[in-house]
């Protein structure tokens, strides 16, 4: 009877752990890898030799050490050679990037997303971006896959974006369409924008070292990427994180989901524009003009920001009570709203959240800024390689 993993399985696990470490942390000495991974020097040497042989890392003597004696070799990810494509389909724009192992954005393309264009209809535009990006790809480069971040509600397991909340009509799998259009055999992995942004901030941004995080994202709607115990919380059917549809006003305004008084109806862009007496037909930039006007002393805009900011704090306090996170991050267009209404958010948190939960929670904006979803999409693409580096 088999009692444990084979030597080959252990070796592959260690290869993945080492590659993941340098992918996230960048150039790392063998000495640090020995300490951080809990492996002996000879094992680290053998693992780095295998990864170097596969063209995934390089080793070199550091330029300056400041110490006497033989310096420890530094292991670097092959960022210029091993790459993935990352895509971000947002309300107002679409973006594509070639991202190297180690998270370095090597090349980027972006354009406005035509109003009303379905997510699946952006596939040919993204494919054109890839043709442009491919011109700078070295001849010996290794493509490992693609990841795509999509705003609004979608199934996380297969990347089927829902067209509306009110119907079960579902478009063809975005990930399959994109893979077909690109003509690639490597997988295209799709993810919700809030989820992948949370993944990126947890790995590379402001939430590094935090294992319990809520990333709030407002684009077409209000979603959350939730990390519990260091792992993303997706829910049974992959629809976890739809925090914009928790009801805060049972007799409130109708919501696109068919319910009434959802949090989204109080903190969404439509709510901010309405409160400020602005044209609600404008897209996300319209909501940002309200925040900008408030900063310049516009009284109606300031009142709107305070009102919507108060509701933002109301929902955050409830989420803090439920999940007890170490950090709440305000992303998408919620970033500007939070910065303008931080006093209202903190006031609600202080009056509604349980002391044990609120006293330690940190409220932050994304360190990766608008690139969080794009960087997160790249992380999705690299996951298979990091899990089994020699399978490529």
């Amino acid at each position: 009877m088999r009692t444990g993993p084979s030597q080959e399985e252990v070796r592959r696990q260690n290869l993945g752990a080492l590659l993941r470490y340098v992918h996230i942390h960048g150039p790392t000495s063998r000495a640090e890898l020995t300490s951080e991974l809990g492996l002996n020097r000879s094992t680290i040497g053998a693992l780095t030799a295998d990864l170097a042989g596969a063209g995934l890392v390089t080793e070199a003597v550091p330029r300056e050490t400041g110490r006497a004696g033989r310096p420890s070799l530094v292991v670097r990810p092959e960022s210029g050679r091993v790459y993935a494509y990352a895509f971000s389909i947002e309300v107002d724009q679409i973006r594509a990037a070639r991202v190297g192992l180690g998270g370095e954005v090597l090349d980027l393309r972006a354009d406005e997303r035509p109003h009303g264009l379905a997510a699946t209809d952006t596939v040919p535009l993204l494919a054109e971006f890839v043709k442009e990006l491919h011109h700078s790809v070295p001849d010996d480069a290794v493509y490992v896959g693609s990841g795509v971040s999509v705003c609004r509600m979608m199934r996380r397991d297969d990347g089927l974006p829902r067209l509306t909340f009110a119907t079960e009509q579902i478009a063809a799998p975005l990930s399959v369409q994109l893979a077909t259009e690109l003509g690639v055999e490597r997988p295209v992995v799709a993810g919700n924008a809030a989820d992948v942004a949370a993944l990126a901030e947890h790995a590379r941004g402001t939430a590094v070292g935090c294992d319990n995080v809520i990333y709030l994202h407002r684009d077409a709607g209000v979603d959350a990427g939730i990390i519990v115990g260091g792992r993303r919380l997706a829910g049974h059917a992959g629809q976890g994180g739809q925090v914009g549809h928790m009801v805060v006003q049972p007799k409130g305004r109708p919501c696109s989901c068919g319910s009434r008084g959802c949090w989204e109806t109080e903190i969404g862009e439509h709510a901010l524009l309405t409160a400020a007496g602005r044209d609600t037909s404008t897209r996300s930039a319209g909501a940002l003009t309200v925040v900008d006007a408030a900063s310049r002393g516009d009284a109606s805009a300031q009142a709107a920001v305070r009102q919507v900011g108060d509701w933002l704090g109301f929902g955050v306090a409830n989420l803090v009570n439920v999940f007890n996170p170490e950090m709440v991050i305000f992303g998408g267009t919620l970033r500007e709203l939070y910065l303008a209404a931080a006093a209202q958010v903190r006031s609600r948190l202080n009056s509604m959240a349980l002391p044990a939960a609120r006293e330690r929670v940190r409220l932050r904006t994304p360190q990766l800024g608008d690139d969080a979803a794009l960087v997160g999409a790249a992380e999705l693409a690299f996951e298979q390689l990091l899990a089994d580096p020699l399978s490529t």
Side-chain angles (χ1 to χ4, degrees):
M1 178 180 293
R2 186 175 177 182
T3 58
S6 67
Q7 287 186 334
E8 178 60 22
E9 288 171 331
V10 171
R11 172 175 164 271
R12 286 181 176 271
Q13 289 172 3
N14 288 337
L15 284 167
L18 195 157
L19 186 61
R20 188 181 299 275
Y21 193 92
V22 297
H23 171 66
I24 296 297
H25 298 279
T28 309
S29 69
R30 280 195 185 186
E32 182 179 339
L33 289 169
T34 299
S35 174
E36 292 295 330
L37 300 182
L39 301 171
N40 60 47
R41 287 186 297 175
S42 61
T43 299
I44 291 294
L47 293 174
T48 54
D50 286 343
L51 292 174
L56 300 175
V57 302
T58 58
E59 289 188 283
V61 176
R63 294 183 179 89
E64 295 181 9
T65 64
R67 296 180 180 179
R70 184 177 180 181
S72 177
L73 293 175
V74 173
V75 183
R76 291 179 169 84
E78 274 279 29
S79 299
R81 180 175 178 273
V82 182
Y83 73 96
Y85 285 122
F87 308 98
S88 181
I89 303 175
E90 302 156 32
V91 170
D92 291 332
Q93 67 174 342
I94 54 174
R95 293 185 290 165
R98 185 165 68 90
V99 182
L101 184 66
E104 180 182 356
V105 177
L106 303 170
D107 203 353
L108 176 68
R109 297 290 186 278
D111 201 354
E112 182 178 332
R113 177 180 174 182
H115 185 61
L117 189 68
T120 49
D121 292 335
T122 66
V123 167
L125 302 177
L126 295 174
E128 285 300 315
F129 282 158
V130 169
K131 289 181 182 178
E132 296 177 18
L133 293 170
H134 194 70
H135 292 318
S136 60
V137 176
D139 292 337
D140 64 343
V142 177
Y143 166 72
V144 299
S146 294
V148 54
S149 162
V150 186
C151 66
R152 204 46 161 158
M153 190 175 186
M154 65 175 293
R155 289 213 315 240
R156 293 165 172 79
D157 53 352
D158 56 9
L160 275 71
R162 296 189 183 277
L163 301 182
T164 69
F165 281 101
T167 178
E168 287 302 310
Q169 184 181 10
I170 298 176
L174 176 65
S175 54
V176 174
Q177 286 192 27
L178 192 51
T180 301
E181 188 76 22
L182 296 178
V184 296
E185 297 181 359
R186 296 289 181 184
V188 176
V189 186
N192 178 280
D195 276 351
V196 299
L199 178 67
E201 289 293 335
H202 180 244
R204 301 183 178 281
T206 195
V208 168
C210 296
D211 283 341
N212 297 278
V213 179
I214 296 176
Y215 182 100
L216 296 174
H217 183 85
R218 186 178 71 183
D219 196 347
V222 177
D223 304 319
I226 301 173
I227 295 175
V228 177
R231 302 181 64 179
R232 286 184 296 156
L233 182 66
H236 172 65
Q239 294 300 330
Q242 298 296 330
V243 297
H245 299 283
M246 60 179 180
V247 176
V248 296
Q249 284 256 57
K251 296 182 180 180
R253 285 173 281 196
C255 181
S256 60
C257 70
S259 184
R260 277 185 174 273
C262 292
W263 193 30
E264 188 172 297
T265 67
E266 300 294 345
I267 68 167
E269 291 167 353
H270 188 277
L272 183 61
L273 291 166
T274 300
R278 303 297 179 92
D279 180 6
T280 58
S281 65
T282 58
R283 301 171 80 179
S284 61
L288 298 182
T289 63
V290 175
V291 176
D292 180 62
S295 70
R296 290 184 285 104
D298 185 303
S300 62
Q302 289 176 337
V305 167
R306 286 194 298 270
Q307 175 183 318
V308 176
D310 185 59
W311 277 112
L312 178 60
F314 185 100
V316 168
N318 281 309
L319 292 173
V320 167
N321 284 342
V322 172
F323 291 101
N324 187 202
E326 300 167 71
M327 183 178 292
V328 177
I329 304 172
F330 299 87
T333 56
L334 283 180
R335 176 186 181 276
E336 284 71 21
L337 175 62
Y338 165 70
L339 291 175
Q344 284 75 31
V345 174
R346 179 56 73 174
S347 177
R348 273 292 189 180
L349 193 63
N350 289 340
S351 65
M352 291 177 56
L354 296 170
R358 73 169 185 253
E359 287 171 358
R360 294 176 180 267
V361 68
R362 288 170 282 170
L363 307 182
R364 296 288 187 271
T365 57
Q367 182 176 316
L368 299 173
D370 293 337
D371 288 338
L374 197 63
V375 173
E379 292 301 320
L380 292 180
F382 281 117
E383 188 54 40
Q384 182 175 340
L385 172 69
L386 299 178
D388 189 358
L390 300 187
S391 64
T392 57

